[in-house]
Amino acid sequence: MRFICLGYADETIFKEIPEEKMKGFMEECFVYDDVLRRGGHFVGGEALQPASTAVTLRFREGKVDVTDGPYIETKEYLGGILFLEARDLNHAIALMSKHPGVRFGPFEIRPADVEINALVRERDERIRAERAGGKAKG
Amino acid sequence: MAEAMRHNRELVNDSREQAVRETVERIYREESRRIFATLIRLVGDFDLAEEAMHEAFAAAVERWPVDGIPEKPFAWLVSTGRFKAIDTIRRMARFESDPERVALATVPAKADETIDEEQFRDDQLRLIFTCCHPSLPATTRVAMTLREMCGLTTEEVARAFLTSPATIAQRIVRGKAKLRDERIAYQVPSRDELPTRLDSVLSVIYLVFNEGYSARSGDSVVRHDLSSEAIRLGRVLMDLLPDGEVAGLLALMLLHDSRRRARIDAAGDLVLLEDQERTLWDRPTIDEGLRLVERAFASGEVGAYTLQAAISGAHATARDVRDTDWGRIVALYDLLLRAEPSPVAELNRAVAIAMRDTPEAGLRLIDGILERGELASYHLAHAARADLLRRLGRSAAAKVAYEQALAMSTLEPERRYLEKRLRELG
């Protein structure tokens, strides 16, 4: 099963941690990511820049309104996303419980929506085929 | 020509890979729980063992097409799993503060686990006794047994129990944490502990069975599978620990299950034992159940499961209701009430008395039980009472009793049965 793990963290904490310690922490995260990779669990992931870099779009009174800053003001912000392949929810929990990142903020684990993803993939393949066909003709 | 040969070789490789893959899948289906049970002992942690087993099978898919299938696949998977777990601990050891974990990393992984069949068999018992440990809540025991011992996924367990995966996952996580925190040893209980600990295991298996059996309303195949899973587990336990009550429970489940096809009619409605088409009962399953009852009686220690199985067996050998040896059934209920007094067994005895003697005699007993208030909200007590009143021709009173039963019943097939009876009474 595919799971999406959302890693949250209090960004202000990071500013207080000495650079050396921070490097060690990052290294620990990377080493554990490798453990996940070796087990075939690490499907992909993205680290996010601080929430202060965010812009938020909202549909208001018939048009799109843009504000700077994150969607919700909280203490802990989404800092990274990890795509995880695991046998079931308990396996995913066991794998992510050992991730060093969990010590800095909560992980939210959500199963991927298989049905919607299948629809998305179908459209993806259709467009790819269209483009391949177009190229062949051109 | 060379091209064709290379193509051929690739085909051979592909089919070889396919064959190996199928072998690995078969071993996974048949052996993964045993491998897991052993790895928990070797690495000392459920989660670490699960991941180690997962990696060992992944390694088999990779290595076996190249190196060939090892002579002893089971031992290969166990030692590979152990090696993978130690490798993971070593990689993380420099960040690790838990001295126990660090110590584990220094244990050398042997190239090949020595095969000790006795030890491997004990590991399975260790696993089931740990999953059913009395310090865990009953719901956790069931969830852990199904996931860790039977290999169901969290999502499958959740579907079977009509709850969310998050709820089941939490139960299992907390259960494992409790085992860790309370340092509950991964071991087979000692001889003096065994009877009570075995009781806990048997009740978990029977609960799983009933969850599947009573919910057989056609709306959920997964729930039905729970009965088969419980029977499978009963067989595993019987093989590992051939105790009288283990045989009794397995017999009881088999005898109930033998009536699976006759219990529900084409419309999905419940058919009572007396109305069932007995040619639909599964003879080989009945025979196996009866042999196990005999074996349980022969063991000298006859417990509640064995007695219930013997009662079920008495029905299984009768051509119809009239042909049934109700005298023997009443006698077995008398023994059951002595072994394990319960108002439900008392209710069933009352129904048997009604069959052996007269409906009035049964009715008096049921009224007595209800007056004590014990089964006042148990729908089957009211349904049984209603059936006896109907047989006595007391339609008005029967109607009231059926209505009471209906108000308390939640299972759809049972409700339809009660509604049908009500309609018949007009």
Side-chain angles (χ1 to χ4, degrees), chain A residues 1 3 24 27-29 31-32 35-36 38-41 87-91 93-95 98 100 103 111, chain B residues 28 45 47-48 50-51 54-55 88 91-92 94-95 101 147 151-155 165-166 168-169 172-173:
Chain A
M1 279 180 78
F3 292 91
E27 173 63 12
E28 191 178 349
C29 283
V31 170
Y32 189 72
V35 168
L36 290 178
R38 285 196 181 84
H41 304 297
R87 187 174 159 259
D88 63 2
L89 181 54
N90 275 106
H91 190 198
I93 291 172
L95 290 170
K98 291 198 186 76
R103 296 202 296 268
Chain B
Y28 186 86
D45 179 88
D47 290 344
L48 200 57
E50 175 170 2
E51 183 52 17
H54 175 97
E55 288 193 35
T88 297
R91 282 178 200 284
M92 300 310 288
R94 59 190 164 115
F95 310 106
R101 278 290 174 86
R147 186 174 182 276
L152 265 65
T153 63
T154 311
E155 289 73 16
I168 297 292
I172 291 171
V173 168

Side-chain angles (χ1 to χ4, degrees), chain B residues 5-279:
Chain B
M5 269 175 71
R6 204 183 64 215
H7 182 65
N8 252 341
R9 202 159 51 231
E10 270 167 21
L11 277 183
V12 169
N13 279 345
D14 274 0
S15 65
R16 186 194 159 108
E17 209 163 296
Q18 180 64 25
V20 170
R21 191 177 282 274
E22 276 165 19
T23 305
V24 174
E25 277 169 14
R26 184 179 52 75
I27 294 175
Y28 186 86
R29 269 196 313 276
E30 291 167 7
E31 306 270 17
S32 66
R33 297 344 279 172
R34 290 179 57 206
I35 293 167
F36 178 55
T38 295
L39 281 171
I40 297 172
R41 172 171 55 86
L42 293 175
V43 306
D45 179 88
F46 270 76
D47 290 344
L48 200 57
E50 175 170 2
E51 183 52 17
M53 183 187 68
H54 175 97
E55 288 193 35
F57 275 98
V61 171
E62 228 169 78
R63 296 304 319 160
W64 293 3
V66 184
D67 303 345
I69 296 170
E71 205 179 312
K72 293 169 181 162
F74 184 88
W76 189 95
L77 287 160
V78 168
S79 40
T80 304
R82 183 187 208 182
F83 177 78
K84 295 275 183 189
I86 291 170
D87 184 54
T88 297
I89 297 170
R90 275 186 192 147
R91 282 178 200 284
M92 300 310 288
R94 59 190 164 115
F95 310 106
E96 186 68 70
S97 51
D98 182 350
E100 267 181 42
R101 278 290 174 86
V102 177
L104 204 58
T106 60
V107 176
K110 276 177 276 178
D112 218 343
E113 288 302 325
T114 41
I115 294 282
D116 179 350
E117 192 57 32
E118 196 63 24
Q119 188 71 290
F120 286 142
R121 288 168 65 83
D122 273 359
D123 287 337
Q124 278 186 286
L125 282 175
R126 284 186 180 97
L127 179 54
I128 190 160
F129 276 110
T130 306
C131 288
C132 298
H133 198 277
S135 73
L136 300 172
T139 49
T140 304
R141 291 180 215 167
V142 170
M144 283 195 63
T145 301
L146 285 172
R147 186 174 182 276
E148 317 304 335
M149 187 72 200
C150 302
L152 265 65
T153 63
T154 311
E155 289 73 16
E156 284 167 341
V157 178
R159 267 202 300 279
F161 286 90
L162 311 177
T163 177
S164 73
T167 304
I168 297 292
Q170 212 169 19
R171 269 180 211 162
I172 291 171
V173 168
R174 287 185 182 154
K176 286 178 185 168
K178 199 171 170 96
L179 295 176
R180 255 193 310 267
D181 296 347
E182 293 183 10
R183 298 185 170 273
I184 289 167
Y186 187 61
Q187 62 188 25
V188 181
S190 63
R191 196 164 276 277
D192 31 309
E193 260 189 313
L194 197 61
T196 43
R197 294 289 304 276
L198 186 58
D199 265 357
S200 171
V201 172
L202 295 179
S203 75
V204 165
I205 297 176
Y206 196 39
L207 207 133
V208 170
F209 178 81
N210 277 324
E211 192 68 32
Y213 195 66
S214 62
R216 199 159 294 166
S217 55
D219 60 351
S220 170
V221 180
V222 186
R223 285 169 77 84
H224 162 109
D225 285 348
L226 284 178
S227 302
S228 316
E229 206 53 64
I231 289 173
R232 205 187 60 77
L233 208 51
R235 287 189 201 282
V236 170
L237 195 59
M238 186 66 199
D239 175 48
L240 295 168
L241 197 76
D243 177 273
E245 275 290 82
V246 177
L249 173 62
L250 181 56
L252 178 61
M253 295 192 293
L254 287 169
L255 288 164
H256 276 322
D257 202 55
S258 71
R259 298 180 201 133
R260 195 188 334 170
R261 281 189 304 152
R263 255 181 104 235
I264 306 279
D265 66 13
D269 285 340
L270 202 66
V271 185
L272 290 191
L273 187 69
E274 56 179 274
D275 302 323
Q276 286 176 15
E277 176 54 68
R278 298 190 178 205
T279 54

Side-chain angles (χ1 to χ4, degrees), chain A residues 75-114:
Chain A
K75 212 166 117 272
E76 283 145 333
Y77 288 104
L78 188 61
I81 300 171
L82 195 157
F83 298 111
L84 188 81
E85 189 64 38
R87 187 174 159 259
D88 63 2
L89 181 54
N90 275 106
H91 190 198
I93 291 172
L95 290 170
M96 292 311 287
S97 298
K98 291 198 186 76
H99 200 292
V102 78
R103 296 202 296 268
F104 283 83
F107 276 136
E108 184 176 318
I109 302 177
R110 304 261 293 265
D113 190 317
V114 180

Side-chain angles (χ1 to χ4, degrees), chain A residues 118-136:
Chain A
L119 292 178
V120 170
R121 205 156 304 130
E122 206 178 284
R123 300 188 82 84
D124 222 27
E125 275 159 23
R126 200 189 312 152
I127 298 293
R128 202 167 303 151
E130 264 175 36
R131 288 168 74 181
K135 233 177 255 166

